[in-house]
């Protein structure tokens, strides 16, 4: 097996190294075997990077609408946002590049939404905007200190 071949190769190399290290002391050398063990590499199958692996995972309608609408808004404003959101809703069940790209955008938007909830982003934005206009000191939820800037921790 591969493990046994590795062990025999390791012990062979160890014996060579020990001979080299002791050669300076006693000036004796052992001959190297003429047939060293041969280790054969076994090829592994190359992964298919073209397959998305998400064929069974379908994002929600809200994620598709929000993701496609956001891209449309960035590229062309509110009118294109409406068109891309509705077009994404139409293309989500289609096969081919339009359907796959729409589902990928939906998965990205869904992951961003989950991360937003995990990080409590809306609360943080609310506190930061409130501190700009009110000038009040807010209490930090981590250590209950009073800071005007919550990003100190």
């Amino acid at each position: 097996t591969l493990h046994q071949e590795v062990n025999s190769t390791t012990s062979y190399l160890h014996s060579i190294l020990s001979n080299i290290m002791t050669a300076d002391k006693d000036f004796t050398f052992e001959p190297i075997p003429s047939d060293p063990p041969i280790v054969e590499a076994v090829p592994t199958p190359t992964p298919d990077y073209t397959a998305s692996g998400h064929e069974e995972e379908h994002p929600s309608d809200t994620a598709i609408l929000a993701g496609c609408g956001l891209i449309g808004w960035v590229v062309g404003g509110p009118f294109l946002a409406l068109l891309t959101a509705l077009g994404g809703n139409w293309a989500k069940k289609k096969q081919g590049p339009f359907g796959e790209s729409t589902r990928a955008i939906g998965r990205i938007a869904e992951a961003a939404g989950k991360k937003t909830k995990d990080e409590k982003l809306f609360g943080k934005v609310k506190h930061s905007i409130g501190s700009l206009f009110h000038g009040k000191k807010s209490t930090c939820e981590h250590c209950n200190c009073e800071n005007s800037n919550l990003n100190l921790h």
Side-chain angles (χ1 to χ4, degrees), residues 3-21 30-39:
H3 184 64
Q4 291 171 341
E5 290 177 5
V6 169
N7 283 340
S8 65
T9 305
T10 304
S11 63
Y12 172 72
L13 291 174
H14 185 269
S15 68
I16 290 174
L17 289 175
S18 66
N19 288 339
I20 291 171
M21 297 175 101
E30 293 182 20
I32 298 176
S34 60
D35 295 329
I38 297 173
V39 178

Side-chain angles (χ1 to χ4, degrees), residues 112-141:
K114 287 178 184 175
K115 187 67 176 172
T116 301
K117 287 179 185 175
D118 291 345
E119 292 291 327
K120 300 175 184 170
L121 183 66
F122 293 119
K124 290 178 181 179
V125 169
K126 184 176 115 179
H127 284 298
S128 64
I129 291 173
S131 69
L132 288 175
F133 291 111
H134 300 295
K136 295 180 182 177
K137 292 188 176 191
S138 305
T139 58
C140 179
E141 62 186 49

Side-chain angles (χ1 to χ4, degrees), residues 45-129:
T46 57
D48 185 15
Y49 294 112
T50 59
S52 65
H54 296 288
E55 279 78 51
E56 296 181 13
E57 182 182 331
H58 295 288
S60 68
D61 292 343
T62 306
I64 290 174
L65 289 171
C68 292
L70 180 65
I71 289 175
W73 186 280
V74 169
V75 171
F79 182 70
L80 192 58
L82 182 63
L83 283 178
T84 55
L86 294 176
N89 194 33
W90 169 79
K92 68 184 175 191
K93 301 233 185 229
K94 302 292 182 189
Q95 296 298 321
F98 287 119
E100 185 56 38
S101 63
T102 300
R103 288 186 293 276
I105 289 169
R107 285 190 294 270
I108 291 168
E110 203 165 51
K114 287 178 184 175
K115 187 67 176 172
T116 301
K117 287 179 185 175
D118 291 345
E119 292 291 327
K120 300 175 184 170
L121 183 66
F122 293 119
K124 290 178 181 179
V125 169
K126 184 176 115 179
H127 284 298
S128 64
I129 291 173

